[in-house]
């Protein structure tokens, strides 16, 4: 390869390619060759968007609601979000403090762009969602990764947070329920973190995209609801993608103190302008309409979680915490390290993911993609039948591996 004709900006060079890209490419190649792959890699619900939501968007389209809207979203949607935050989360915001964007990912990007200066440190509890670290780097910030403990359900403690705070620390990114671990922080845990954040006047971005996907008696709590001081320091991020199976619609939102919300809307006005016009009407129906489809989806996810957990826990050498939310399990697979499968040694989570694909014909995401190596992420956003067959394959490879 010769010299590049075009020199990319430093910003572009700082972005890491997704660590799962090689495995994705391999999986696609195998599918093309006619090999039947079961995927535990999916990051979106496998259900269709509920009919009443689709028809609300279709009606908006039919009525000619096809033009630019206000940058931060139409008033009707911001009112629906305002009411939702108030009724479900105990959070009172003005509509001017709500900014609707092209998915929660876009909301996160906007928030980080308007908050982070070069050199600012952002605390990322690991395992973390891949995009956080890249977004922080794109803003010139420095990800300060804190590896949480499996024994503590991968939840950051105030002592762990306290230990990394320095004069450059600006912000913490919290994600509860979590992707990839499914962990859910309870009220007391959030209260303890909030006290620390308030004491140091640190900002927190609270990614609550999996809010509705919680199981058993667990309750989702927004850290912003724990008092006026922490609310003033919180940017709440949420959206319709995961709760209503609307990942392709691209509607997410942020609720934030005035200057942050205004800066996010101004930034968005020069980048993407408003989010899709008729998807906003679909989202109003999602938020205000019947919540029965959500309940049905949660019941189905819970069944799958219980099954997958039972199966994984029965496999010698594997430990797996019980996820309280989202649709992922995050088993510890480090017992496989040092073993070989047909001459290929397993040194890390990527090696195991590769072997699982080539010999087990199942796609899983290596833990290293989330900043920790001893784990795999398996999504259960696929049918129970697929889960059963996929776990049979997983178990077969695993047992062969550990007998070598
Ligand atoms: C899926 C996901 C998002 C993004 O959701 P969109 O609204 O589809 O952009 C944000 N955070 C986490 C942790 C996610 O898993």
């Amino acid at each position: 390869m010769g010299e590049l004709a075009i020199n990319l900006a430093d910003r572009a060079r700082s972005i890491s390619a997704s660590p799962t890209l090689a495995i994705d490419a391999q999986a696609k190649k195998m599918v093309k060759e006619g090999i039947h792959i079961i995927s535990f890699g999916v990051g979106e619900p496998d259900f269709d968007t509920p009919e009443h939501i689709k028809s609300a968007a279709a009606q908006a389209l039919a009525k000619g609601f096809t033009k630019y809207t206000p940058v931060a979203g139409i008033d009707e949607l911001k009112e629906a979000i305002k009411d939702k935050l108030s009724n479900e989360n105990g959070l009172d915001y003005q509509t001017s403090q709500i900014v609707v964007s092209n998915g929660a990912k876009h909301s996160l990007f906007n928030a980080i762009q308007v908050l982070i200066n070069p050199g600012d440190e952002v605390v990322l509890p690991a395992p973390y969602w891949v995009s956080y670290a890249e977004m922080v780097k794109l803003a010139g910030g420095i990800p300060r990764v804190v590896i949480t403990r499996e024994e503590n359900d991968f939840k950051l403690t105030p002592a762990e947070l306290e230990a990394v705070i320095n004069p450059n620390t600006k912000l913490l990114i919290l994600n509860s329920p979590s992707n990839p671990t499914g962990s859910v922080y309870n009220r007391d845990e959030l209260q303890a973190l909030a006290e620390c954040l308030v004491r140091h006047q640190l900002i927190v971005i609270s990614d609550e995209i999996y809010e509705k996907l919680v199981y058993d008696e667990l309750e989702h709590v927004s850290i912003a609801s724990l008092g006026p001081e922490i609310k003033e320091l919180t940017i709440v991020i949420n959206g319709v993608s995961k709760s209503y199976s609307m990942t392709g619609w691209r509607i997410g939102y942020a609720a934030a103190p005035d200057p942050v919300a205004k800066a996010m809307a101004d930034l968005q006005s020069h980048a993407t302008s408003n989010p899709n016009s008729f998807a906003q009407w679909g989202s109003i129906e999602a938020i205000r309409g019947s919540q029965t489809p959500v309940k049905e989806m949660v019941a189905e996810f819970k069944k799958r979680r219980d099954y997958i957990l039972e199966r994984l826990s029965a496999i010698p050498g594997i430990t797996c915490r019980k996820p309280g939310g989202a649709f992922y399990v995050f088993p510890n697979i480090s017992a496989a390290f040092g073993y070989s499968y047909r001459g290929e040694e397993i040194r890390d989570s990527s090696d195991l993911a590769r072997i699982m694909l080539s010999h087990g014909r199942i796609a899983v995401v290596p833990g290293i993609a989330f900043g920790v190596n001893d784990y795999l992420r398996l999504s259960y956003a696929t049918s129970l039948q697929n889960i059963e067959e996929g776990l049979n394959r997983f178990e077969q490879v695993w047992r062969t591996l550990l007998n070598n």
Side-chain angles (χ1 to χ4, degrees):
M1 283 230 273
E3 191 100 325
L4 268 182
I6 294 174
N7 277 321
L8 292 175
D10 296 343
R11 186 182 313 113
R13 293 171 197 262
S14 80
I15 310 172
S16 313
S18 164
T20 60
L21 230 57
I23 292 172
D24 285 347
Q26 176 68 13
K28 288 206 178 88
K29 189 164 158 264
M30 291 171 72
V31 169
K32 234 179 170 173
E33 287 164 3
I35 300 169
H36 179 243
I37 306 280
I38 290 180
S39 182
F40 287 107
V42 228
E44 58 184 346
D46 54 314
F47 306 93
D48 195 4
T49 304
E51 215 45 60
H52 66 107
I53 299 174
K54 287 200 222 173
S55 89
Q59 268 174 44
L61 200 47
K63 279 194 222 150
F65 199 73
T66 56
K67 300 291 162 58
Y68 289 138
T69 77
V71 167
I74 54 177
D75 285 340
E76 292 87 342
L77 176 53
K78 291 202 286 183
E79 288 288 344
I81 294 167
K82 175 179 186 270
D83 292 349
K84 178 252 179 262
L85 290 170
S86 170
N87 297 336
E88 298 181 0
N89 308 102
L91 291 170
D92 289 318
Y93 286 100
Q94 311 287 318
T95 48
S96 61
Q97 298 176 308
I98 293 165
V99 181
V100 184
S101 300
N102 300 285
K105 188 183 260 188
H106 188 208
S107 304
L108 287 159
F109 185 87
N110 284 343
I112 291 167
Q113 282 291 319
V114 306
L115 288 168
I116 294 304
N117 272 321
D120 285 345
E121 289 190 13
V122 177
V123 180
L124 293 185
Y128 53 78
W129 189 52
V130 204
S131 294
Y132 297 145
E134 301 305 321
M135 288 181 189
V136 168
K137 286 195 278 171
L138 274 172
I142 302 165
R144 187 70 196 251
V145 175
V146 178
I147 311 276
T148 58
R149 285 172 308 124
E150 182 179 341
E151 303 76 52
N152 196 35
D153 278 331
F154 306 100
K155 291 188 261 193
L156 180 75
T157 66
E160 287 165 341
L161 173 59
E162 197 81 47
V164 295
I165 294 174
N166 68 65
N168 293 326
T169 311
K170 176 94 185 250
L171 160 75
L172 164 71
I173 303 183
L174 262 193
N175 175 214
S176 175
S178 154
N179 174 6
T181 66
S183 295
V184 181
Y185 285 75
N186 66 33
R187 189 176 295 271
D188 291 345
E189 290 160 343
L190 290 173
Q191 187 70 59
L193 287 173
E195 275 163 24
C196 179
L197 293 164
V198 168
R199 187 154 21 87
H200 292 277
Q201 287 295 293
L202 298 179
I203 306 163
V204 56
I205 291 181
S206 180
D207 180 349
E208 304 179 11
I209 194 79
Y210 291 99
E211 140 176 65
K212 304 248 177 214
L213 307 183
V214 289
Y215 312 114
D216 310 320
E217 268 63 64
L218 292 176
E219 168 201 26
H220 166 79
V221 177
S222 174
I223 192 168
S225 70
L226 299 177
E229 290 171 309
I230 187 65
K231 181 166 175 262
E232 274 308 297
L233 292 168
T234 308
I235 293 79
V236 175
I237 306 284
N238 209 328
V240 294
S241 285
K242 307 289 162 60
S243 301
Y244 303 101
S245 224
M246 292 172 71
T247 46
W249 293 60
R250 311 311 303 132
I251 297 288
Y253 57 86
D258 290 308
V260 181
K262 180 171 187 313
M264 287 175 67
D266 288 345
L267 173 67
Q268 181 163 304
S269 78
H270 296 296
T272 59
S273 297
N274 62 276
N276 176 291
S277 55
F278 44 93
Q280 293 187 59
W281 278 103
S283 301
I284 294 170
E285 179 59 27
I287 294 169
R288 290 216 191 269
S290 165
Q291 301 296 304
T292 305
V294 186
K295 293 197 186 89
E296 289 167 354
M297 182 167 76
V298 169
E300 178 62 25
F301 275 142
K302 180 181 149 42
K303 247 190 260 168
R304 297 174 186 177
R305 180 208 56 174
D306 291 345
Y307 175 76
I308 200 167
L309 196 65
E310 189 188 312
R311 285 286 306 271
L312 284 172
S313 305
I315 301 175
I318 290 191
T319 58
C320 190
R321 309 294 295 186
K322 184 181 192 172
F327 40 71
Y328 312 101
V329 282
F330 204 61
N332 186 321
I333 46 76
S334 58
F337 297 170
Y339 285 91
S340 293
Y341 197 99
R342 299 194 190 154
E344 277 180 80
E345 195 194 336
I346 310 289
R347 289 149 309 168
D348 56 29
S349 55
S350 300
D351 287 343
L352 184 61
R354 209 180 48 245
I355 296 289
M356 283 296 170
L357 181 61
S358 54
H359 298 287
R361 291 162 293 120
I362 60 170
V364 297
V365 184
I368 198 63
F370 311 99
V372 287
N373 212 359
D374 291 351
Y375 307 88
L376 294 178
R377 189 193 75 177
L378 278 68
S379 158
Y380 47 90
T382 184
S383 70
L384 256 180
Q385 196 189 345
N386 276 344
I387 293 171
E388 186 180 354
E389 169 61 16
L391 284 174
N392 291 345
R393 296 179 184 187
F394 180 95
E395 193 167 348
Q396 197 174 11
V397 173
W398 181 267
R399 286 185 186 273
T400 310
L401 186 61
L402 266 71
N403 287 329
N404 275 347

